[in-house]
Amino acid sequence: MIVTIALNPSINKLAVIDGLEVNSINNVQDYRICLGESTIYSAYTTKILQGEPYVLGFIGGIGGRYIKNFMEKSRIKSDMVFNLGESKSIYKIVDSINGTETTLLDNGLRVDERDTKNFKHKLQNHIKDAKVMIIGGELPKGTDFSLVEDIITLAKKNNLKIISAMKGQELRKSLSLNPYGVKVSKDTIAELKIFDSLEEDTNYIIKELYKILVNNRIHYMVYDAFDEGIYVISKSKICKVICDECIDISDGLGASDSLVGAFAVSIERKYEQEKMAKLIMATNISVKNSKHPNICSRKDIDFYYNKVKIVEIMNKKQGYIQ
């Protein structure tokens, strides 16, 4: 079983308006609601790869019920702490005439001591049969990094292999806890403070990530470099995987979270690094190429698994890793 911690899952709402007028009534021409970025996407891909995910976290309000319903429809087991507040919501208002996009961000519910205690109790009950844990997202209001420390300490006591897919400063802090795996993406790497400019070339970034991996005794690190491909780094080898075919990115929401599910399944099944890299990339592409409301299917992942390829392998024997 793969325990997936979704600390502060969100929903995305999109409304299309023809000519937005302030201080007036605007008719919505099109409307969409979907699951926002969170490790619930990781649980989804774990499920379709025939793994066994179990999701724990905090939800609340109407958005929380939508998230719960999504997991039930996807046959993902969960035991969430339901809060009286409203789950994190991201509202986008698109003006189709003027071409503007307005975003309203509601950071969501506030967790109290009782909620945290309830969560830890649930975690204690469900962690015993697990082999891997994914922890990701952002901390909800009312908590601090000590919650992450407590989760990881409990996981290590039960001999789980931990994958950190955190965001913000929690990503950087989690490295010192020596997780088994870490997922970093192009939009979160700045938090690691390994360079002064976002214009640093990819080779420099990979070398710095390798140093972080070695210094923090991390077994695997996945770097999602978006259009440049995906890198899977270990102490002995660095694999870069790409897809030659031009991919039509229909949506892409949840793609970076979804690949973490493939990462976790690969670790649980002890896949070799090259196979892990190809499965991660195939999952990422499958989600990017999907169209709402679909995410991706096992058939999609299998198709792209045979399309992606390892284009660069650096290892100690070749002398590329210093």
Side-chain angles (χ1 to χ4, degrees):
M1 186 170 73
I2 297 173
V3 172
T4 303
I5 309 299
L7 290 168
N8 192 18
S10 64
I11 58 169
N12 284 11
K13 298 177 181 179
L14 173 69
V16 179
I17 307 293
D18 291 343
L20 180 65
E21 295 182 16
V22 181
N23 294 326
S24 179
I25 296 175
N26 293 269
N27 292 320
V28 175
Q29 304 302 322
D30 192 18
Y31 181 79
R32 187 177 95 177
I33 181 171
C34 64
L35 179 68
E37 293 181 347
S38 76
T39 50
I40 293 176
Y41 281 105
S42 308
Y44 180 88
T45 51
T46 297
K47 184 69 176 180
I48 64 173
L49 289 170
Q50 298 180 316
E52 186 183 352
Y54 205 105
V55 181
L56 300 167
F58 303 96
I59 55 174
I62 297 173
R65 296 190 185 282
Y66 177 89
I67 293 168
K68 180 68 173 175
N69 184 59
F70 171 88
M71 289 191 287
E72 289 176 349
K73 283 186 175 181
S74 302
R75 297 182 181 180
I76 297 170
K77 295 179 181 179
S78 67
D79 193 2
M80 309 294 283
V81 176
F82 203 90
N83 185 282
L84 293 176
E86 182 65 51
S87 286
K88 180 178 178 180
S89 300
I90 301 170
Y91 303 83
K92 288 189 177 181
I93 303 172
V94 176
D95 186 335
S96 60
I97 293 177
N98 299 311
T100 60
E101 183 176 294
T102 304
T103 300
L104 306 177
L105 175 61
D106 179 356
N107 284 313
L109 48 80
R110 176 174 291 276
V111 173
D112 60 23
E113 186 177 349
R114 184 177 61 179
D115 292 328
T116 302
K117 186 177 181 180
N118 190 9
F119 169 82
K120 291 179 181 178
H121 179 71
K122 291 175 182 289
L123 180 60
Q124 184 74 59
N125 289 339
H126 297 295
I127 205 172
K128 296 175 182 177
D129 298 325
K131 295 180 180 179
V132 178
M133 172 188 282
I134 299 168
I135 179 167
E138 300 170 341
L139 288 166
K141 290 180 290 186
T143 62
D144 56 32
F145 193 71
S146 64
L147 175 61
V148 176
E149 292 175 324
D150 291 344
I151 292 169
I152 292 180
T153 298
L154 181 58
K156 286 187 174 182
K157 283 183 180 178
N158 287 270
N159 300 313
L160 270 69
K161 294 177 178 176
I162 302 152
I163 298 174
S164 171
M166 304 291 292
K167 296 180 180 179
Q169 63 179 345
E170 284 76 28
L171 170 64
R172 184 178 70 257
K173 291 180 179 179
S174 70
L175 300 176
S176 63
L177 301 176
N178 312 122
Y180 190 89
V182 175
K183 191 273 288 189
V184 183
S185 59
K186 205 167 186 178
D187 60 352
T188 62
I189 196 170
E191 287 296 335
L192 299 183
K193 301 185 184 300
I194 60 177
F195 46 75
D196 296 326
S197 170
L198 289 175
E199 296 179 359
E200 293 285 1
D201 63 52
T202 302
N203 287 336
Y204 173 82
I205 292 173
I206 296 302
K207 287 180 180 179
E208 293 301 308
L209 290 177
Y210 178 79
K211 290 177 186 177
I212 290 173
L213 176 135
V214 173
N215 292 338
N216 292 280
R217 303 192 303 278
I218 298 165
H219 285 74
Y220 292 105
M221 181 179 288
V222 174
Y223 175 48
D224 181 7
F226 297 165
D227 295 341
E228 298 174 49
I230 289 175
Y231 293 80
V232 179
I233 307 167
S234 69
K235 187 176 180 180
S236 60
K237 190 183 297 183
I238 300 175
C239 297
K240 179 183 178 182
V241 58
I242 64 167
C243 183
D244 283 338
E245 291 191 4
C246 181
I247 304 301
D248 178 21
I249 301 179
S250 302
D251 195 327
L253 180 65
S256 197
D257 289 305
S258 295
L259 69 82
V260 181
F263 189 15
V265 168
S266 298
I267 289 174
E268 184 184 43
R269 297 174 183 171
K270 299 179 180 179
Y271 287 167
E272 62 181 14
Q273 190 170 336
E274 288 83 358
K275 184 175 182 179
M276 176 191 294
K278 290 182 68 177
L279 184 62
I280 287 170
M281 183 64 165
T283 301
N284 182 260
I285 294 172
S286 297
V287 177
K288 286 181 177 178
N289 201 37
S290 64
K291 294 182 179 180
H292 180 78
N294 297 320
I295 299 176
C296 72
S297 67
R298 178 60 186 268
K299 184 178 179 181
D300 296 329
I301 295 174
D302 290 342
F303 174 79
Y304 285 112
Y305 184 88
N306 295 316
K307 296 290 184 181
V308 301
K309 65 179 182 178
I310 307 291
V311 296
E312 186 175 348
I313 299 178
M314 299 182 285
N315 58 52
K316 284 186 174 180
K317 290 181 180 180
Q318 294 171 318
Y320 294 138
I321 299 176
Q322 301 298 324

